[in-house]
Amino acid sequence: MRLLLIEDDDRIAGPLTEGLGRYGFTVDRVRTGAAGLTSGGSPDLVLLDLGLPDMDGLDVCRSLRARSAIPIIMITARGEEADRVAGLELGADDYLAKPFGVRELVARIRAVTRRTGALPTVPQTPQATPAAVAAPQRLGSLEVDRRTRQVRVDGREVALTPREFDLLAYLAQDPGAVHSRQQIMDAVWDPHFFGPTKTLDAHVASLRRKLGDPGWITTARGVGFRLTVPGDPPPGAAG
């Protein structure tokens, strides 16, 4: 698997390239955003630092996503939620804050490539017939089409990253039910995910913004999240 590493700091890029090489990855490294945008070859995934010397990594992410669906993992010292959300909304598939271990990064790479290259997630039940799978799911003004991996709200298509779609599709399998953070991480990321679960919060925040109403995904404090239709009575409310 070939990776494009856009990182200007030799102290990080050197050990990272060596460590990834031990896991069987081929790493092409460039030092600037401009070089990353003009780099030849056909990498399978981009590792993108935000603090580049010539341009903001968020602008690089925006430019890459505008012309390609290649998976992008941001690696950066910026750990604020606003930066994570901004990166995810621009199309990044994951976000890893420095410092981090190579093993964690490898787990993220494997999870991202597995999710972005996988078929749409469909509940494995006897009722999941081909006709049912092909039919878009409608919840209020929300439409989730697993066959085409498209989402619409009030007829307006919502552009989601592959990971955001997988998260929404997972929650939509059982609307109203509370899914624990661990259940979501295991299903949407990977059972062997080594990183912190803050990336889940960033994806939820990004989804809420893109769907246009934070009420679509509600928080069950101390447990996890549920998908709800804004304006509907809460689960268990008297009719």
Side-chain angles (χ1 to χ4, degrees):
M1 183 174 181
R2 182 174 294 276
L3 309 177
L4 174 61
L5 172 62
I6 307 176
E7 169 64 69
D8 65 306
D9 192 335
D10 293 337
R11 295 170 299 178
I12 295 174
L16 194 55
T17 299
E18 180 182 351
L20 289 170
R22 290 197 297 268
Y23 282 87
F25 295 99
T26 299
V27 181
D28 298 320
R29 183 260 180 128
V30 295
R31 291 176 169 81
T32 66
L37 293 174
T38 58
S39 176
S42 300
D44 300 297
L45 182 143
V46 174
L47 301 174
L48 173 62
D49 181 28
L50 292 189
L52 298 170
D54 60 332
M55 59 193 300
D56 194 296
L58 293 175
D59 292 327
V60 178
C61 179
R62 181 187 293 108
S63 297
L64 286 172
R65 183 55 70 233
R67 68 191 192 194
S68 172
I70 186 172
I72 300 171
I73 297 179
M74 290 185 168
I75 51 174
T76 176
R78 303 181 194 174
E80 296 299 321
E81 181 182 12
D83 290 312
R84 296 196 302 270
V85 170
L88 294 170
E89 288 190 332
L90 288 173
D93 296 281
D94 208 344
Y95 191 111
L96 191 57
K98 301 174 184 175
F100 56 84
V102 172
R103 188 169 70 122
E104 178 181 354
L105 177 58
V106 169
R108 302 278 189 114
I109 292 172
R110 290 173 175 168
V112 165
T113 54
R114 184 158 49 245
R115 298 304 304 179
T116 57
L119 292 174
T121 301
V122 177
Q124 298 300 310
T125 65
Q127 291 75 28
T129 61
V133 171
Q137 180 182 10
R138 291 180 174 83
L139 299 165
S141 61
L142 175 67
E143 179 181 302
V144 180
D145 191 333
R146 291 175 174 82
R147 185 176 63 85
T148 63
R149 296 180 68 85
Q150 291 179 312
V151 171
R152 294 179 177 84
V153 176
D154 291 323
R156 171 184 59 86
E157 185 169 350
V158 181
L160 301 181
T161 67
R163 183 61 56 79
E164 289 169 349
F165 179 88
D166 291 334
L167 172 57
L168 180 62
Y170 175 75
L171 294 176
Q173 288 179 13
D174 194 0
V178 175
H179 302 267
S180 73
R181 299 175 68 89
Q182 191 59 55
Q183 287 173 330
I184 297 171
M185 295 300 295
D186 288 350
V188 180
W189 272 259
D190 185 84
H192 305 292
F193 181 80
F194 296 105
T197 60
K198 286 184 178 180
T199 187
L200 171 57
D201 298 283
H203 277 76
V204 167
S206 180
L207 262 180
R208 284 169 170 163
R209 293 188 183 190
K210 290 185 177 182
L211 294 177
D213 189 330
W216 280 110
I217 302 177
T218 59
T219 301
R221 191 172 300 277
V223 182
F225 301 96
R226 65 162 64 92
L227 182 71
T228 59
V229 178
D232 279 5

PDB file of all heavy atoms in Angstrom, residues 83-106:
ATOM      1  N   ASP A  83     -10.684  22.554  15.144  1.00  0.00           N
ATOM      2  CA  ASP A  83      -9.799  22.120  14.063  1.00  0.00           C
ATOM      3  C   ASP A  83     -10.200  20.736  13.561  1.00  0.00           C
ATOM      4  O   ASP A  83     -10.186  20.468  12.359  1.00  0.00           O
ATOM      5  CB  ASP A  83      -8.349  22.102  14.543  1.00  0.00           C
ATOM      6  CG  ASP A  83      -7.790  23.497  14.777  1.00  0.00           C
ATOM      7  OD1 ASP A  83      -7.958  24.350  13.895  1.00  0.00           O
ATOM      8  OD2 ASP A  83      -7.205  23.730  15.844  1.00  0.00           O
ATOM      9  N   ARG A  84     -10.545  19.845  14.493  1.00  0.00           N
ATOM     10  CA  ARG A  84     -10.962  18.501  14.082  1.00  0.00           C
ATOM     11  C   ARG A  84     -12.226  18.569  13.233  1.00  0.00           C
ATOM     12  O   ARG A  84     -12.317  17.928  12.186  1.00  0.00           O
ATOM     13  CB  ARG A  84     -11.197  17.612  15.315  1.00  0.00           C
ATOM     14  CG  ARG A  84      -9.961  17.355  16.150  1.00  0.00           C
ATOM     15  CD  ARG A  84     -10.172  16.183  17.090  1.00  0.00           C
ATOM     16  NE  ARG A  84     -11.296  16.377  17.994  1.00  0.00           N
ATOM     17  CZ  ARG A  84     -11.200  16.946  19.179  1.00  0.00           C
ATOM     18  NH1 ARG A  84     -10.029  17.393  19.594  1.00  0.00           N
ATOM     19  NH2 ARG A  84     -12.258  17.080  19.952  1.00  0.00           N
ATOM     20  N   VAL A  85     -13.193  19.335  13.697  1.00  0.00           N
ATOM     21  CA  VAL A  85     -14.454  19.443  12.964  1.00  0.00           C
ATOM     22  C   VAL A  85     -14.228  20.071  11.594  1.00  0.00           C
ATOM     23  O   VAL A  85     -14.774  19.612  10.584  1.00  0.00           O
ATOM     24  CB  VAL A  85     -15.489  20.256  13.769  1.00  0.00           C
ATOM     25  CG1 VAL A  85     -16.708  20.567  12.920  1.00  0.00           C
ATOM     26  CG2 VAL A  85     -15.901  19.496  15.019  1.00  0.00           C
ATOM     27  N   ALA A  86     -13.388  21.128  11.547  1.00  0.00           N
ATOM     28  CA  ALA A  86     -13.112  21.785  10.269  1.00  0.00           C
ATOM     29  C   ALA A  86     -12.498  20.798   9.285  1.00  0.00           C
ATOM     30  O   ALA A  86     -12.882  20.742   8.112  1.00  0.00           O
ATOM     31  CB  ALA A  86     -12.182  22.981  10.481  1.00  0.00           C
ATOM     32  N   GLY A  87     -11.542  20.019   9.749  1.00  0.00           N
ATOM     33  CA  GLY A  87     -10.908  19.038   8.871  1.00  0.00           C
ATOM     34  C   GLY A  87     -11.878  17.989   8.378  1.00  0.00           C
ATOM     35  O   GLY A  87     -11.896  17.641   7.192  1.00  0.00           O
ATOM     36  N   LEU A  88     -12.728  17.492   9.266  1.00  0.00           N
ATOM     37  CA  LEU A  88     -13.694  16.474   8.870  1.00  0.00           C
ATOM     38  C   LEU A  88     -14.728  17.034   7.906  1.00  0.00           C
ATOM     39  O   LEU A  88     -15.148  16.360   6.965  1.00  0.00           O
ATOM     40  CB  LEU A  88     -14.372  15.907  10.116  1.00  0.00           C
ATOM     41  CG  LEU A  88     -13.448  15.111  11.059  1.00  0.00           C
ATOM     42  CD1 LEU A  88     -14.162  14.807  12.364  1.00  0.00           C
ATOM     43  CD2 LEU A  88     -12.964  13.837  10.399  1.00  0.00           C
ATOM     44  N   GLU A  89     -15.147  18.274   8.131  1.00  0.00           N
ATOM     45  CA  GLU A  89     -16.136  18.874   7.237  1.00  0.00           C
ATOM     46  C   GLU A  89     -15.555  19.137   5.856  1.00  0.00           C
ATOM     47  O   GLU A  89     -16.294  19.161   4.868  1.00  0.00           O
ATOM     48  CB  GLU A  89     -16.668  20.175   7.845  1.00  0.00           C
ATOM     49  CG  GLU A  89     -17.586  19.957   9.035  1.00  0.00           C
ATOM     50  CD  GLU A  89     -18.280  21.222   9.472  1.00  0.00           C
ATOM     51  OE1 GLU A  89     -17.713  22.314   9.264  1.00  0.00           O
ATOM     52  OE2 GLU A  89     -19.381  21.113  10.031  1.00  0.00           O
ATOM     53  N   LEU A  90     -14.247  19.335   5.784  1.00  0.00           N
ATOM     54  CA  LEU A  90     -13.613  19.551   4.479  1.00  0.00           C
ATOM     55  C   LEU A  90     -13.361  18.246   3.742  1.00  0.00           C
ATOM     56  O   LEU A  90     -12.934  18.260   2.592  1.00  0.00           O
ATOM     57  CB  LEU A  90     -12.295  20.319   4.658  1.00  0.00           C
ATOM     58  CG  LEU A  90     -12.436  21.795   5.030  1.00  0.00           C
ATOM     59  CD1 LEU A  90     -11.072  22.398   5.352  1.00  0.00           C
ATOM     60  CD2 LEU A  90     -13.094  22.571   3.899  1.00  0.00           C
ATOM     61  N   GLY A  91     -13.590  17.115   4.407  1.00  0.00           N
ATOM     62  CA  GLY A  91     -13.487  15.844   3.713  1.00  0.00           C
ATOM     63  C   GLY A  91     -12.473  14.874   4.252  1.00  0.00           C
ATOM     64  O   GLY A  91     -12.306  13.788   3.691  1.00  0.00           O
ATOM     65  N   ALA A  92     -11.766  15.225   5.337  1.00  0.00           N
ATOM     66  CA  ALA A  92     -10.827  14.265   5.921  1.00  0.00           C
ATOM     67  C   ALA A  92     -11.601  13.085   6.485  1.00  0.00           C
ATOM     68  O   ALA A  92     -12.733  13.225   6.968  1.00  0.00           O
ATOM     69  CB  ALA A  92      -9.999  14.932   7.015  1.00  0.00           C
ATOM     70  N   ASP A  93     -10.996  11.901   6.436  1.00  0.00           N
ATOM     71  CA  ASP A  93     -11.661  10.695   6.920  1.00  0.00           C
ATOM     72  C   ASP A  93     -11.332  10.390   8.370  1.00  0.00           C
ATOM     73  O   ASP A  93     -12.062   9.646   9.027  1.00  0.00           O
ATOM     74  CB  ASP A  93     -11.269   9.498   6.042  1.00  0.00           C
ATOM     75  CG  ASP A  93     -11.750   9.669   4.612  1.00  0.00           C
ATOM     76  OD1 ASP A  93     -12.941   9.438   4.376  1.00  0.00           O
ATOM     77  OD2 ASP A  93     -10.940  10.047   3.750  1.00  0.00           O
ATOM     78  N   ASP A  94     -10.236  10.939   8.863  1.00  0.00           N
ATOM     79  CA  ASP A  94      -9.887  10.743  10.264  1.00  0.00           C
ATOM     80  C   ASP A  94      -8.899  11.828  10.668  1.00  0.00           C
ATOM     81  O   ASP A  94      -8.363  12.555   9.820  1.00  0.00           O
ATOM     82  CB  ASP A  94      -9.281   9.355  10.503  1.00  0.00           C
ATOM     83  CG  ASP A  94      -9.523   8.848  11.924  1.00  0.00           C
ATOM     84  OD1 ASP A  94      -9.879   9.665  12.807  1.00  0.00           O
ATOM     85  OD2 ASP A  94      -9.355   7.641  12.150  1.00  0.00           O
ATOM     86  N   TYR A  95      -8.650  11.927  11.966  1.00  0.00           N
ATOM     87  CA  TYR A  95      -7.846  13.016  12.528  1.00  0.00           C
ATOM     88  C   TYR A  95      -7.051  12.446  13.690  1.00  0.00           C
ATOM     89  O   TYR A  95      -7.631  11.870  14.611  1.00  0.00           O
ATOM     90  CB  TYR A  95      -8.800  14.118  13.007  1.00  0.00           C
ATOM     91  CG  TYR A  95      -8.144  15.430  13.381  1.00  0.00           C
ATOM     92  CD1 TYR A  95      -8.343  16.557  12.599  1.00  0.00           C
ATOM     93  CD2 TYR A  95      -7.362  15.550  14.510  1.00  0.00           C
ATOM     94  CE1 TYR A  95      -7.778  17.773  12.935  1.00  0.00           C
ATOM     95  CE2 TYR A  95      -6.773  16.755  14.861  1.00  0.00           C
ATOM     96  CZ  TYR A  95      -6.990  17.855  14.074  1.00  0.00           C
ATOM     97  OH  TYR A  95      -6.425  19.059  14.415  1.00  0.00           O
ATOM     98  N   LEU A  96      -5.749  12.581  13.637  1.00  0.00           N
ATOM     99  CA  LEU A  96      -4.877  12.035  14.672  1.00  0.00           C
ATOM    100  C   LEU A  96      -3.987  13.142  15.211  1.00  0.00           C
ATOM    101  O   LEU A  96      -3.245  13.773  14.476  1.00  0.00           O
ATOM    102  CB  LEU A  96      -4.025  10.902  14.090  1.00  0.00           C
ATOM    103  CG  LEU A  96      -3.237  10.036  15.069  1.00  0.00           C
ATOM    104  CD1 LEU A  96      -4.171   9.407  16.106  1.00  0.00           C
ATOM    105  CD2 LEU A  96      -2.502   8.938  14.305  1.00  0.00           C
ATOM    106  N   ALA A  97      -4.114  13.415  16.518  1.00  0.00           N
ATOM    107  CA  ALA A  97      -3.345  14.492  17.132  1.00  0.00           C
ATOM    108  C   ALA A  97      -1.992  13.984  17.610  1.00  0.00           C
ATOM    109  O   ALA A  97      -1.880  12.888  18.174  1.00  0.00           O
ATOM    110  CB  ALA A  97      -4.132  15.091  18.296  1.00  0.00           C
ATOM    111  N   LYS A  98      -0.958  14.786  17.379  1.00  0.00           N
ATOM    112  CA  LYS A  98       0.372  14.460  17.870  1.00  0.00           C
ATOM    113  C   LYS A  98       0.432  14.717  19.373  1.00  0.00           C
ATOM    114  O   LYS A  98      -0.223  15.649  19.861  1.00  0.00           O
ATOM    115  CB  LYS A  98       1.413  15.335  17.163  1.00  0.00           C
ATOM    116  CG  LYS A  98       1.448  15.188  15.647  1.00  0.00           C
ATOM    117  CD  LYS A  98       2.399  16.207  15.037  1.00  0.00           C
ATOM    118  CE  LYS A  98       2.387  16.142  13.523  1.00  0.00           C
ATOM    119  NZ  LYS A  98       3.217  17.196  12.902  1.00  0.00           N
ATOM    120  N   PRO A  99       1.222  13.923  20.112  1.00  0.00           N
ATOM    121  CA  PRO A  99       2.009  12.773  19.656  1.00  0.00           C
ATOM    122  C   PRO A  99       1.151  11.513  19.542  1.00  0.00           C
ATOM    123  O   PRO A  99       0.122  11.400  20.195  1.00  0.00           O
ATOM    124  CB  PRO A  99       3.053  12.620  20.757  1.00  0.00           C
ATOM    125  CG  PRO A  99       2.343  13.082  21.990  1.00  0.00           C
ATOM    126  CD  PRO A  99       1.426  14.200  21.548  1.00  0.00           C
ATOM    127  N   PHE A 100       1.577  10.590  18.706  1.00  0.00           N
ATOM    128  CA  PHE A 100       0.864   9.333  18.552  1.00  0.00           C
ATOM    129  C   PHE A 100       1.877   8.254  18.208  1.00  0.00           C
ATOM    130  O   PHE A 100       3.000   8.530  17.780  1.00  0.00           O
ATOM    131  CB  PHE A 100      -0.194   9.430  17.450  1.00  0.00           C
ATOM    132  CG  PHE A 100       0.349   9.863  16.112  1.00  0.00           C
ATOM    133  CD1 PHE A 100       0.920   8.952  15.250  1.00  0.00           C
ATOM    134  CD2 PHE A 100       0.301  11.196  15.739  1.00  0.00           C
ATOM    135  CE1 PHE A 100       1.430   9.348  14.024  1.00  0.00           C
ATOM    136  CE2 PHE A 100       0.802  11.609  14.510  1.00  0.00           C
ATOM    137  CZ  PHE A 100       1.372  10.685  13.656  1.00  0.00           C
ATOM    138  N   GLY A 101       1.498   7.015  18.414  1.00  0.00           N
ATOM    139  CA  GLY A 101       2.360   5.891  18.100  1.00  0.00           C
ATOM    140  C   GLY A 101       2.094   5.364  16.702  1.00  0.00           C
ATOM    141  O   GLY A 101       1.008   5.537  16.155  1.00  0.00           O
ATOM    142  N   VAL A 102       3.103   4.713  16.126  1.00  0.00           N
ATOM    143  CA  VAL A 102       2.957   4.152  14.784  1.00  0.00           C
ATOM    144  C   VAL A 102       1.860   3.092  14.771  1.00  0.00           C
ATOM    145  O   VAL A 102       1.083   2.995  13.817  1.00  0.00           O
ATOM    146  CB  VAL A 102       4.291   3.572  14.280  1.00  0.00           C
ATOM    147  CG1 VAL A 102       4.095   2.817  12.963  1.00  0.00           C
ATOM    148  CG2 VAL A 102       5.318   4.672  14.091  1.00  0.00           C
ATOM    149  N   ARG A 103       1.770   2.305  15.848  1.00  0.00           N
ATOM    150  CA  ARG A 103       0.754   1.256  15.891  1.00  0.00           C
ATOM    151  C   ARG A 103      -0.645   1.856  15.809  1.00  0.00           C
ATOM    152  O   ARG A 103      -1.523   1.334  15.125  1.00  0.00           O
ATOM    153  CB  ARG A 103       0.899   0.439  17.172  1.00  0.00           C
ATOM    154  CG  ARG A 103      -0.002  -0.798  17.212  1.00  0.00           C
ATOM    155  CD  ARG A 103       0.360  -1.708  18.362  1.00  0.00           C
ATOM    156  NE  ARG A 103       0.002  -1.124  19.638  1.00  0.00           N
ATOM    157  CZ  ARG A 103      -0.818  -1.699  20.524  1.00  0.00           C
ATOM    158  NH1 ARG A 103      -1.365  -2.873  20.242  1.00  0.00           N
ATOM    159  NH2 ARG A 103      -1.083  -1.136  21.678  1.00  0.00           N
ATOM    160  N   GLU A 104      -0.854   2.978  16.500  1.00  0.00           N
ATOM    161  CA  GLU A 104      -2.157   3.640  16.430  1.00  0.00           C
ATOM    162  C   GLU A 104      -2.435   4.146  15.026  1.00  0.00           C
ATOM    163  O   GLU A 104      -3.537   3.979  14.492  1.00  0.00           O
ATOM    164  CB  GLU A 104      -2.218   4.814  17.417  1.00  0.00           C
ATOM    165  CG  GLU A 104      -3.534   5.565  17.356  1.00  0.00           C
ATOM    166  CD  GLU A 104      -3.599   6.744  18.308  1.00  0.00           C
ATOM    167  OE1 GLU A 104      -2.657   6.933  19.108  1.00  0.00           O
ATOM    168  OE2 GLU A 104      -4.598   7.487  18.247  1.00  0.00           O
ATOM    169  N   LEU A 105      -1.423   4.754  14.398  1.00  0.00           N
ATOM    170  CA  LEU A 105      -1.613   5.258  13.044  1.00  0.00           C
ATOM    171  C   LEU A 105      -1.919   4.124  12.076  1.00  0.00           C
ATOM    172  O   LEU A 105      -2.801   4.250  11.215  1.00  0.00           O
ATOM    173  CB  LEU A 105      -0.368   6.017  12.590  1.00  0.00           C
ATOM    174  CG  LEU A 105      -0.406   6.546  11.144  1.00  0.00           C
ATOM    175  CD1 LEU A 105      -1.594   7.468  10.919  1.00  0.00           C
ATOM    176  CD2 LEU A 105       0.903   7.271  10.815  1.00  0.00           C
ATOM    177  N   VAL A 106      -1.218   3.007  12.204  1.00  0.00           N
ATOM    178  CA  VAL A 106      -1.464   1.859  11.331  1.00  0.00           C
ATOM    179  C   VAL A 106      -2.895   1.363  11.506  1.00  0.00           C
ATOM    180  O   VAL A 106      -3.584   1.029  10.523  1.00  0.00           O
ATOM    181  CB  VAL A 106      -0.455   0.730  11.618  1.00  0.00           C
ATOM    182  CG1 VAL A 106      -0.868  -0.563  10.907  1.00  0.00           C
ATOM    183  CG2 VAL A 106       0.942   1.147  11.168  1.00  0.00           C
TER     184      VAL A 106
END
